[in-house]
Every structure is written in structure tokens, then in C-alpha cells.
Amino acid sequence: LDIVVKGTDSNVVNALIVLGVSGNKEHIPIIRQVLRKESPESLTARFAAIALMALGDKSEEFVQLLSRFLITEDNRSTAIDYLYRIGSSKALEGLVEHLEQTRGHNDSKWWDIAFALFQKGETRHKVSKILADKIRAGEELTIDGWPLQILDQLEVENAYDKTYRIVAAAPED
């Protein structure tokens, strides 16, 4: 276990893989220690998170550590996936906050998160508000079909018409 704390980055990553697949939950504290000290955008941090998920860690501390990944480019997807899978109130709340903070984004990943959180009873109301505000603001929307299924459930007058106007007015690439 010394290699996890004192090894080179590549050795630490390899050790984290081994610890993750070991199934031994006694390794969780040392892996969390690695995750606490690593920069959230590092490869080592990503593999520490992967190892903790493989060991079934759903602790509040792990949720907090994963939430730091949301601001990174390289590890954001890992955080989103794992926070959603953990599914605790704290994890889902972190995803809703991320959705709100990145409301100006319009990529398919943003919409995937929004739709997934809309499907959960405990986050539906907050996500509905974020989506309704996005539509009311006339922000450009990228619609792949599924958002149309939820438009009638949002409290936005003429949501279909507004969305159609926004999509129709969007410049073509």
C-alpha cells in the first residue's frame, strides 16, 4: 500500500486499479486519502474515483470529493456518471447545482443530465424550473427529440411554440 501513497503517478494508477478490482473494502480509506490530495483534474484522481466506485463507496465524503470533478474538463463525465449512480440526495443535489451553473451550455451531455434528473422524483421540480427558465430566456436549444416529451410537463406557456421558434431561428453550421 506504500506505493499508493508514495509511488510515481503511473505506479499509483496501476495500484489503484489493483485495489479497485480486489473487492476489499478495507482499501477504501487509503484510496480516499489519495483522492483528497490529488488535483481534481488529474488522471490519478480519476482512477481513485474508479477504484472507489468499484468497491461500492457511496459515502458522503466520496460524493463531496467527486463534486470537485464537475468543474474539470477531463473528469467531469466520471463525476456525473458516478454521482448519478450513487443517487443519494447529496449526489443528486450536486448534479442539479451543476446543471444550474452550466445552464448556458447546450450540448447533448447537458441535456442528457437534465433529462435523467427530470426523471427522478426528488429532482424533477428543480430541473423543471431550470428548463423552463432556459426556454423562457429564449436560449438556443439543441433538441434531439426527447426534450419534446417533457415540454408539456413544464410550466411554460406555449413551450412547444417557443422551443420551435428557438430551434428554427438557430443559425445552421
Side-chain angles (χ1 to χ4, degrees), residues 6-93:
K6 300 176 188 173
T8 63
D9 285 348
S10 63
N11 287 337
V12 172
V13 167
N14 289 335
L16 288 168
I17 293 168
V18 170
L19 293 176
V21 299
S22 75
N24 187 343
K25 294 183 184 297
E26 291 179 14
H27 297 310
I28 288 175
I30 194 136
I31 298 170
R32 277 196 211 139
Q33 180 183 342
V34 170
L35 189 53
R36 276 192 297 274
K37 77 174 182 115
E38 285 297 319
S39 168
E41 54 273 322
S42 74
L43 181 67
T44 303
R46 182 181 325 149
F47 276 90
I50 291 167
L52 288 169
M53 276 306 288
L55 293 172
D57 188 1
K58 294 185 175 190
S59 68
E60 232 176 87
E61 181 182 6
F62 183 36
V63 167
Q64 183 179 356
L65 291 167
L66 272 175
S67 294
R68 299 179 317 144
F69 285 23
L70 291 171
I71 61 168
T72 72
E73 188 65 33
D74 292 337
N75 291 336
R76 181 180 307 126
S77 292
T78 301
I80 290 168
D81 181 38
Y82 289 173
L83 288 169
Y84 189 80
R85 283 204 270 166
I86 289 170
S88 68
S89 294
K90 196 81 161 164
L92 295 176
E93 186 177 307

Side-chain angles (χ1 to χ4, degrees), residues 97-110:
E97 286 175 17
H98 172 69
L99 200 63
E100 178 115 64
Q101 292 167 358
T102 58
R103 193 183 92 179
H105 293 198
N106 201 28
D107 57 17
S108 62
K109 187 70 175 172
W110 190 95

